[in-house]
Amino acid sequence: NSLGSDAMAGSARAFIIEINIYCFINAYGLAATTFVSQNWGAGRLDRCRKATWISFWMNLIATSLMIGVVLCFGGTFMSVVNDNEHIIALGMIRIWIVVVPQPICVLMETLSGAMRGYGYSLPPALVTLTCVCVIRVLWVWTAFAIDPTFICLMWVYPLSWLATAIGLSYLYWRYQQKLEKRLALRISVA
């Protein structure tokens, strides 16, 4: 690793905090999948949409509260394992750049969870895979090659999430139009 062992240690400590927040984000996305699929099976598109946005707002509130706690106590959490100030400072850089924008992941997880509930699991997976992987590889080859710093490397996370969230938002909107037509056809046949 060209960034050194301190960057790896700080990043690893911050990642432990980050992944624990993401577990909650993912749980709300799975809840959206469950509620949307149940209501879609019952032919209640209105309740599917309501479940999606309730899941989104609950997730956003919970995630924001956790981010607040991490911003207040992140350095303390990381100092439990190692009290090296440089390592903690690098970990806090990751927290500011990667943990603070986690609300973008809330949108990603909610929309992809809802689409899975409607029975569309491959399209959101392809959008996520394409946006995240392509942007991150391009970033490392271009921006990071120009500015090979820890901060530059960390910025790839929120940027790839933002691109993914935009792609998933568009996909969700397009599928909502298809779902209305499908539901209308389903009702007219019944």
Side-chain angles (χ1 to χ4, degrees), residues 158-175:
L159 294 173
S160 64
W161 295 337
L162 184 59
T164 305
I166 291 168
L168 288 172
S169 296
Y170 175 75
L171 190 65
Y172 181 81
W173 174 74
R174 292 282 299 157
Y175 275 98

Side-chain angles (χ1 to χ4, degrees), residues 22-97:
Y22 186 76
C23 288
F24 285 90
I25 294 170
N26 185 255
Y28 280 101
L30 293 172
T33 302
T34 302
F35 288 108
V36 167
S37 65
Q38 289 174 343
N39 286 297
W40 179 244
R44 295 292 309 267
L45 186 57
D46 59 320
R47 289 176 63 182
C48 293
R49 290 176 177 152
K50 185 177 179 181
T52 300
W53 295 115
I54 288 172
S55 175
F56 170 78
W57 286 109
M58 289 176 67
N59 197 347
L60 186 62
I61 290 166
T63 300
S64 297
L65 290 172
M66 287 185 284
I67 290 170
V69 169
V70 168
L71 290 176
C72 290
F73 302 106
T76 304
F77 295 154
M78 286 187 280
S79 70
V80 170
V81 178
N82 187 325
D83 62 354
N84 181 311
E85 289 182 27
H86 183 62
I87 291 172
I88 293 170
L90 288 167
M92 288 306 293
I93 288 170
R94 181 176 176 122
I95 284 174
W96 277 101
I97 297 174

